[in-house]
């Protein structure tokens, strides 16, 4: 059996191929890149945070204390805005503990970080621990920096090269009150997949219930995944059309993009995608601009980046064969800033032209294929933070307090012209 090494969130993982799928529905096997039958014994869940609590607001000097029983040494990293000539454009990864962290006999360690020297807003402090026997673990400590440096926030002034010659037909900087309703009526967004198909293990939840997953924070849409004791868990999705099919649709040629970050924990599944039809059984297109999967170790995705997938549902060629679909694993730790989707914000884009469909990561082309005929019909877009569900991946977020957050910075769409109608007629 062939062995391959991939680098995941700054750590190396040994994967064995061929891969296997865990998804119950064979139609979703393209969602499951990275599955492996390695026993994963090198990975253990050792790190537990003592202070500060996960998702705490911080500023100034912050002391982080953690326990990692069975581990010998550790280090901590955090993404930073550019410093001097370093990290121009992309920002840079900063080692918070250049001398390392020596753990005591109980595996307790600590370090400090001056939050004022890092970007304001979502802050992900990554702790890596290992022992002499090769056991290892990492923990992503999500915090919110109420001090810090304003950097890389909001809709940029520049026009992506893929959008040249097009006009802005939709934009949301999420810097004001949210407009989301359960069914999308009388609001900008629908809190469920229109008409058919919620798919998260922690349920996409209503905005007027006790588990409202949406919060507007500074210039971000915060999508909260939570599982209070005794509940089935909740998370969030927004769609640009409502349950009547009314809302925002866009037709080729168009370009759309979304910038977000989330946490890589087992079960996390942030995504940005489009669909052309809303009802079950219709032969629509689904273009998955980004499908990210969190978690490493036995039974987890061990994903080296994120996935792109085009689904041409139930569509056949004239000779009756299944239409060719396209997918790719994007090795983002080898591109641009060489940072993972959970380390910092990244922008994920899609151009659908009359001839070709092109996918982008931070304005870099990552996949191209002929535009499917169905994709010439109008699209809606969806942004979600699913936890488990039809992806087939296990959920294991207990040591994070059964909570995790996705932060969406902006979404915008360029096209030749605006269109304004309900569920559009088929060409």
């Amino acid at each position: 059996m062939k062995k391959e090494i991939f680098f995941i969130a700054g750590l190396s993982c040994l994967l064995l191929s061929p891969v296997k799928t865990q998804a119950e529905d064979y139609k979703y096997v393209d969602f499951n890149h990275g599955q492996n039958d390695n026993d994963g014994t090198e990975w253990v869940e050792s790190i537990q945070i003592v202070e500060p609590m996960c998702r705490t607001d911080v500023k100034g000097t912050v002391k982080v204390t953690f326990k990692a029983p069975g581990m010998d040494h550790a280090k901590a990293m955090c993404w930073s805005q550019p410093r001097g000539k370093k990290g121009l454009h992309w920002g840079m990864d900063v080692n918070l503990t250049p001398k390392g962290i020596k753990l005591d006999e109980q595996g307790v360690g600590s370090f400090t970080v001056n939050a004022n020297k890092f970007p304001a807003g979502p802050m992900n402090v990554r702790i890596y621990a290992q022992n002499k026997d090769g056991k290892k673990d990492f923990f992503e400590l999500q915090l919110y920096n109420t001090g810090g440096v304003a950097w890389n926030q909001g809709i940029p002034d520049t026009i992506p090269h893929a959008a040249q010659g097009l006009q802005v037909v939709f934009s949301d900087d999420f810097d004001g009150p949210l407009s989301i309703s359960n069914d999308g009526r009388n609001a900008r967004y629908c809190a469920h997949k229109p008409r058919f198909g919620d798919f998260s293990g922690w349920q996409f939840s209503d905005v007027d219930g006790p588990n409202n997953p949406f919060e507007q924070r500074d210039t971000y849409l915060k999508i909260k995944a939570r599982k209070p004791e005794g509940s089935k868990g909740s998370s969030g999705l927004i769609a640009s059309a409502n349950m009547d099919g009314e809302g925002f649709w866009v037709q080729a040629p168009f370009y759309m993009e979304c910038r977000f970050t989330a946490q890589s924990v087992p079960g996390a599944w942030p995504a940005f995608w489009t669909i052309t039809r809303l009802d079950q059984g219709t032969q629509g297109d689904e273009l998955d601009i980004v499908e990210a999967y969190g978690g490493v170790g036995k039974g987890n995705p061990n994903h080296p980046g994120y996935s792109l997938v085009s689904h041409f549902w139930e569509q056949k060629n004239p000779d009756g064969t299944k239409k060719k679909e396209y997918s790719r694993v994007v090795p983002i730790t080898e591109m641009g800033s060489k940072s993972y989707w959970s380390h910092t914000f990244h922008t994920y884009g899609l151009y659908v032209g009359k001839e070709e469909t092109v996918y982008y990561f931070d304005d870099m082309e990552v996949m191209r294929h002929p535009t499917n005929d169905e994709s010439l019909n109008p699209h809606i877009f969806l942004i979600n933070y699913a936890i488990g569900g039809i992806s087939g991946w296990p959920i294991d977020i207990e040591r994070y307090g059964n909570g995790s957050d996705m932060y969406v910075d902006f979404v915008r769409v360029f096209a030749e012209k605006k269109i304004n109608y309900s569920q559009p007629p088929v060409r």
Side-chain angles (χ1 to χ4, degrees):
M1 184 173 289
K2 180 182 176 183
K3 297 183 179 180
E4 297 179 301
I5 294 289
F6 291 107
F7 291 90
I8 302 169
L11 294 177
S12 62
C13 248
L14 179 65
L15 304 187
L16 303 180
S17 57
V19 297
K20 296 179 179 179
T21 179
Q22 295 173 340
E24 294 179 1
D25 189 335
Y26 75 93
K27 295 179 182 179
Y28 292 90
V29 343
D30 288 335
F31 288 173
N32 293 279
H33 293 290
Q35 302 216 17
N36 65 91
D37 57 2
N38 184 20
D39 63 13
T41 54
E42 72 273 28
W43 292 100
V44 295
E45 289 195 351
S46 172
I47 300 171
Q48 298 286 338
I49 296 298
V50 177
E51 63 173 346
M53 293 179 62
C54 295
R55 300 173 295 282
T56 297
D57 285 2
V58 297
K59 64 180 179 179
T61 300
V62 181
K63 182 179 181 180
V64 178
T65 303
F66 63 96
K67 296 180 180 179
M71 296 294 165
D72 300 326
H73 56 277
K75 69 176 182 179
M77 308 287 293
C78 189
W79 200 260
S80 169
Q81 73 282 353
R83 299 188 177 190
K85 294 183 179 180
K86 295 182 178 180
L88 292 178
H89 181 67
W90 302 110
M92 57 185 290
D93 215 7
V94 172
N95 187 343
L96 304 176
T97 57
K99 295 182 180 180
I101 306 169
K102 187 175 181 180
L103 307 180
D104 67 17
E105 293 181 356
Q106 286 73 45
V108 176
S110 65
F111 60 94
T112 60
V113 54
N114 186 348
N116 291 343
K117 294 184 177 181
F118 287 83
M123 184 177 186
N124 187 1
V125 176
R126 292 137 38 219
I127 303 171
Y128 302 85
Q130 196 165 2
N131 67 20
K132 61 181 180 297
D133 297 322
K135 301 293 185 183
K136 53 190 177 181
D137 188 22
F138 79 99
F139 190 104
E140 294 193 353
L141 174 59
Q142 280 191 319
L143 302 170
Y144 194 90
N145 190 356
T146 60
V149 179
W151 175 69
N152 205 24
Q153 296 178 343
I155 297 176
D157 295 330
T158 56
I159 304 299
H161 73 270
Q164 297 298 321
L166 305 176
Q167 62 174 312
V168 176
V169 294
F170 184 99
S171 65
D172 198 339
D173 207 4
F174 300 107
D175 56 356
L178 299 176
S179 179
I180 307 171
S181 68
N182 298 341
D183 57 14
R185 298 182 180 98
N186 302 310
R188 196 173 201 184
Y189 300 109
C190 182
H192 297 273
K193 185 173 182 284
R195 295 223 280 259
F196 171 76
D198 275 359
F199 50 87
S200 179
W202 289 11
Q203 300 167 342
F204 295 137
S205 298
D206 292 345
V207 299
D208 56 1
N211 299 314
N212 176 14
F214 306 110
E215 179 183 333
Q216 192 275 328
R217 186 84 194 263
D218 295 331
T219 184
Y220 307 109
L221 165 64
K222 179 180 178 181
I223 304 180
K224 299 175 288 187
R226 301 289 187 270
K227 190 177 184 295
E229 187 174 354
S231 77
K232 295 181 179 180
S234 61
S235 193
L237 172 149
I238 60 171
S240 68
N242 66 25
M243 292 298 178
D244 297 322
E246 298 170 338
F248 175 76
W249 296 78
V250 64
Q251 192 162 16
F254 69 82
Y255 171 81
M256 64 172 63
E257 64 180 6
C258 178
R259 184 159 69 200
F260 70 81
T261 189
Q263 186 183 25
S264 179
V265 293
W269 181 12
F272 173 47
W273 48 300
T274 78
I275 52 176
T276 59
R277 306 200 195 190
L278 305 183
D279 295 315
Q280 183 179 12
T282 54
Q283 297 177 328
D285 282 4
E286 174 184 329
L287 304 181
D288 296 325
I289 304 165
V290 49
E291 297 271 356
Y293 302 102
V296 297
K298 183 178 181 180
N300 285 303
N302 300 297
H303 205 297
Y306 71 90
S307 289
L308 302 173
V309 185
S310 64
H311 290 289
F312 308 141
W313 294 116
E314 309 298 339
Q315 297 173 46
K316 298 185 182 299
N317 297 308
D319 64 0
T321 59
K322 185 177 183 296
K323 273 201 171 183
K324 176 179 173 59
E325 298 179 338
Y326 302 87
S327 64
R328 187 193 175 196
V329 174
V330 184
I332 57 179
T333 55
E334 301 172 12
M335 301 173 59
S337 65
K338 297 179 170 56
S339 56
Y340 205 56
W341 53 265
S342 63
H343 292 180
T344 185
F345 284 93
H346 292 288
T347 303
Y348 305 89
L350 171 72
Y351 173 79
V352 177
K354 298 294 182 66
E355 303 294 333
E356 290 188 302
T357 295
V358 189
Y359 298 75
Y360 294 89
F361 170 72
D362 285 343
D363 215 24
M364 296 176 284
E365 181 180 327
V366 290
M367 189 172 80
R368 178 185 295 252
H369 62 74
T371 296
N372 192 40
D373 288 345
E374 171 65 21
S375 279
L376 297 175
N377 288 317
H379 298 240
I380 70 167
F381 69 80
L382 306 95
I383 303 168
N384 66 258
Y385 197 27
I387 303 294
I390 64 170
S391 69
W393 297 115
I395 302 169
D396 186 6
I397 311 182
E398 188 170 351
R399 65 173 172 157
Y400 297 88
N402 274 324
S404 182
D405 293 326
M406 175 183 183
Y407 286 92
V408 183
D409 190 13
F410 70 84
V411 59
R412 62 176 173 173
V413 184
F414 299 79
E416 281 189 337
K417 59 184 179 180
K418 292 185 177 181
I419 56 178
N420 185 22
Y421 42 63
S422 300
Q423 170 74 61
V426 177
R427 293 186 313 110

